[in-house]
Amino acid sequence: MKTTLAYLSLIFLLTACDSKPNFADLCDSNAEICNEFKEDSWCKRERIKVGFSNLEHKLAASDLHKYHQLIAYEDYAQCMVHASKIEHIKLKHKQTMRVDNAIQAQSRIKEISKETMNSNHPHLLYYHWSRYINEESLARFLAQEGSKALDNSRSQYNLATHYTKIDPKKTLTLLYRALQLYQPDQKINQEIFQSIATIFIEKQEVKKAYLWLRILRLHSPENEEVTEKSLNNYVIGYKLNKKLLDKIANITLDKIEAGTFESPKV
């Protein structure tokens, strides 16, 4: 019963205020979570993410939630390190405070990393491989290939990154599978689009390369590496049918976002 009530409380917090996280409510009932870092106007989004990942784990401790904590702390630490480099002429203490916050976040990363060293959760196994080059973690991660545990978008993408230099065809299959497994409204990793486009660029399959670059542009218009100018130059340089390819790109992205995308044959 307590667990049910805890989840109901979490759902309320996450859905309050027009489906936006209500951080103020979290702080009212979980002061220790909000008091972890000194208040600052920078990195608010990252700090909120840390807060809710900690609440998630507090209400229902699990290896998956520990993974969410690690990613949240990493994002916050990275943001704070950047913010700490900005000097304040009149408020020098701001810089020191941000350094302290970054150090605190990095300390928590080390702590949670130590706690999860022996975990068999695929996300944590790949985390320990990618962050600490832990060969044993990689071996245990790869041993789960083909199992239900890895049949999710994140794990398929992680597998793809491992096979990138070993087996391009398998890499492409895994990237497509990662897209196929996305559910509606689930945040899509734009690096999947970049990786697919890169494979086709290297294979000199210019139509498919443009198609996935266009999908990336449609999904992430803020991406500075793929601009309208660069895409137009690509079309002109290779004399592509822009209208047709753009139409296919829109249809493909709509299917991915709707959770109806089917992996094409490789």
Side-chain angles (χ1 to χ4, degrees), residues 63 77 146 158:
D63 281 356
N158 288 341

Side-chain angles (χ1 to χ4, degrees), residues 180-238:
Q180 184 176 344
L181 289 169
Y182 272 107
Q183 299 300 310
D185 299 324
Q186 186 179 354
K187 186 177 179 181
I188 301 171
N189 179 5
Q190 66 172 322
E191 291 182 7
I192 296 177
F193 301 137
Q194 291 175 311
S195 298
I196 294 175
T198 299
I199 289 173
F200 285 125
I201 289 171
E202 291 176 350
K203 293 173 68 176
Q204 296 185 337
E205 296 187 32
V206 295
K207 291 182 180 179
K208 291 181 180 179
Y210 173 83
L211 175 66
W212 287 98
L213 288 171
R214 171 54 69 186
I215 291 173
L216 172 59
R217 176 69 180 168
L218 289 170
H219 177 265
S220 307
E222 75 284 355
N223 188 303
E224 297 179 356
E225 295 180 12
V226 181
T227 64
E228 284 299 324
K229 183 177 180 180
S230 65
L231 287 174
N232 287 332
N233 289 339
Y234 202 90
V235 167
I236 294 170
Y238 290 104

Side-chain angles (χ1 to χ4, degrees), residues 62-194:
S62 71
D63 281 356
L64 176 59
H65 294 164
K66 285 185 178 181
Y67 171 76
H68 291 164
Q69 286 180 300
L70 284 167
I71 299 302
Y73 276 114
E74 281 191 342
D75 290 345
Y76 179 77
Q78 184 178 6
C79 183
M80 267 293 128
V81 167
H82 174 71
S84 67
K85 294 177 182 177
I86 301 173
E87 294 188 15
H88 289 258
I89 297 174
K90 295 182 179 180
L91 301 173
K92 289 287 185 179
H93 69 280
K94 285 277 188 180
Q95 190 175 17
T96 302
M97 179 184 69
R98 289 168 182 168
V99 170
D100 290 342
N101 283 345
I103 291 174
Q104 171 63 16
Q106 291 164 348
S107 176
R108 285 291 288 136
I109 291 170
K110 290 180 182 178
E111 182 181 333
I112 299 171
S113 293
K114 186 175 181 180
E115 292 173 0
T116 57
M117 279 183 63
N118 297 317
S119 170
N120 266 325
H121 193 286
H123 294 356
L124 286 169
L125 287 172
Y126 192 81
Y127 181 91
H128 282 279
W129 158 248
S130 60
R131 297 331 190 255
Y132 304 110
I133 317 299
N134 188 314
E135 296 285 351
E136 182 184 346
S137 294
L138 176 63
R140 284 192 282 148
F141 174 74
L142 294 176
Q144 296 185 38
E145 186 175 353
S147 71
K148 188 177 180 180
L150 265 61
D151 199 26
N152 58 79
S153 296
R154 185 180 298 278
S155 292
Q156 292 296 295
Y157 174 72
N158 288 341
L159 273 173
T161 60
H162 170 71
Y163 285 108
T164 297
K165 296 181 180 180
I166 305 171
D167 189 340
K169 185 176 181 179
K170 184 171 184 175
T171 299
L172 189 57
T173 299
L174 290 166
L175 291 171
Y176 282 148
R177 180 62 179 164
L179 292 177
Q180 184 176 344
L181 289 169
Y182 272 107
Q183 299 300 310
D185 299 324
Q186 186 179 354
K187 186 177 179 181
I188 301 171
N189 179 5
Q190 66 172 322
E191 291 182 7
I192 296 177
F193 301 137
Q194 291 175 311

